[in-house]
Amino acid sequence: MEMRDDMYVNVQDLARGRPASEELSYENSAIERYHHQKTAEVDKAHTHAANPTKQNRGRRCYIVALVCLGLLCVLLLIATIVLWIMFTVEQDQLQSRLLNVTNERDQFKIHQPQKEAEYLQGIAAYLANTKQQGWKLFHTSLYHISSEENTWSKSRVNCQERGADLVIINSVEEQEFLVENLGHNRAWIGLTNINYEGIWKWVDGSALTTEYWNNGEPNNLNNHEHCAEFRGIPLKTNWNDRQCSEKEQWVCEKTVF
Ligand code: BGC
Ligand code: CA
């Protein structure tokens, strides 16, 4: 039977005019190629399905790129805001500097005769007003001698409420002016050692350089005397240290110019 089939194939091949063995090997190789191709496709599909990490890696890269882009945008936004704030601050500073220069220029203009006259009139009016309130002008300062009596601290507060402070004596002329105006009255002056561990200082924090202590003073009697007063003796050297809680008159001073 097999013999008969082979023979039949060979007869057919002969009928087509090509050797039967050649035709067979051609068909076999075609089948083989087809098989190879399919196997390769299946392998490829397997490899693809068995290796999802490659796909994930790609997606992760995409997400990272997106996040980086987002961060870059945020950074750009922050940089823009910072630059804008810096620009605004600098603009404000420039404006205030311009205002200062304008003010300086305006003050300079005061020296024009008409403006100067107005300026002096203003000062005269101010002094007339302060005179009415009991202030006395001496050199570049105004002085007010209280009619009431109080402790050193409360006296100082009263001066501060008047836009002044307890008097600071910087020259012999000022000392003599006060002696003249106080006569036999005692009065607190702006000198104390209570906050400075025994070192006498004026109320503006400056050191005591020119002193007008009365004989034997300051003696810190009973270790309680930390405030300075005009002693009530009309002498050039009439300061005394006294207990700050004592009540007496006081002298305020404020500068005019
Ligand atoms: C005063 C002292 C002063 C003394 C001088 C007293 O009345 O309170 O401050 O040192 O007199 O004698
Ligand atoms: Ca004393």
Side-chain angles (χ1 to χ4, degrees):
M1 182 74 177
E2 277 175 15
M3 276 278 282
R4 286 184 73 87
D5 284 351
D6 281 352
M7 276 177 66
Y8 172 73
V9 169
N10 288 342
V11 168
Q12 271 191 333
D13 286 345
L14 283 171
R16 280 189 215 119
R18 65 175 144 153
S21 58
E22 199 181 300
E23 184 71 18
L24 251 181
S25 75
Y26 174 78
E27 273 181 15
N28 282 346
S29 70
I31 289 165
E32 234 169 73
R33 265 206 308 279
Y34 175 77
H35 188 68
H36 257 292
Q37 197 180 330
K38 279 290 162 197
T39 315
E41 275 173 22
V42 169
D43 280 355
K44 198 177 172 185
H46 264 279
T47 319
H48 203 65
N51 195 9
T53 47
K54 202 171 181 183
Q55 218 176 351
N56 286 346
R57 212 177 298 143
R59 200 173 301 150
R60 218 174 295 145
C61 279
Y62 178 70
I63 290 168
V64 168
L66 267 185
V67 170
C68 285
L69 197 70
L71 278 175
L72 205 68
C73 286
V74 171
L75 280 175
L76 268 174
L77 189 71
I78 291 171
T80 311
I81 291 170
V82 168
L83 280 174
W84 183 77
I85 289 171
M86 280 167 68
F87 175 74
T88 312
V89 168
E90 201 168 326
Q91 201 180 24
D92 285 353
Q93 283 173 348
L94 277 174
Q95 255 168 6
S96 73
R97 214 179 299 161
L98 182 70
L99 199 71
N100 282 349
V101 171
T102 313
N103 284 343
E104 276 171 27
R105 188 203 57 193
D106 289 349
Q107 277 187 351
F108 195 66
K109 276 187 187 166
I110 282 170
H111 293 293
Q112 292 171 0
Q114 201 191 336
K115 294 270 179 190
E116 201 164 311
E118 278 173 24
Y119 177 67
L120 291 174
Q121 274 170 10
I123 289 178
Y126 171 74
L127 291 178
N129 191 34
T130 52
K131 194 177 176 185
Q132 263 191 339
Q133 292 169 9
W135 292 86
K136 285 187 179 178
L137 178 66
F138 179 73
H139 289 185
T140 55
S141 285
L142 285 164
Y143 299 83
H144 188 274
I145 299 167
S146 75
S147 49
E148 298 154 39
E149 296 186 347
N150 219 327
T151 63
W152 187 90
S153 301
K154 287 187 178 164
S155 302
R156 186 175 182 205
V157 169
N158 177 274
C159 288
Q160 288 168 335
E161 284 168 356
R162 294 166 185 267
D165 208 333
L166 283 171
V167 64
I168 295 171
I169 301 163
N170 309 103
S171 67
V172 66
E173 289 82 10
E174 198 175 9
Q175 168 72 12
E176 284 170 352
F177 164 79
L178 291 172
V179 170
E180 225 172 85
N181 281 276
L182 277 163
H184 291 275
N185 295 327
R186 304 174 86 132
W188 290 123
I189 61 173
L191 186 64
T192 179
N193 67 7
I194 201 155
N195 298 320
Y196 309 105
E197 296 167 8
I199 302 164
W200 289 96
K201 283 204 177 179
W202 294 107
V203 281
D204 66 353
S206 59
L208 177 63
T209 47
T210 322
E211 309 171 38
Y212 301 99
W213 295 108
N214 197 208
N215 279 341
E217 306 296 345
N219 62 354
N220 192 18
L221 195 73
N222 301 324
N223 275 334
H224 281 312
E225 299 188 319
H226 303 295
C227 292
E229 61 160 3
F230 258 60
R231 189 162 190 180
I233 312 164
L235 281 178
K236 200 163 93 180
T237 50
N238 65 352
W239 297 357
N240 173 45
D241 57 341
R242 199 177 183 206
Q243 205 166 328
C244 304
S245 56
E246 295 288 344
K247 290 186 176 179
E248 59 183 77
Q249 285 177 268
W250 65 91
V251 184
C252 303
E253 178 188 5
K254 62 178 167 187
T255 49
V256 189
F257 304 103

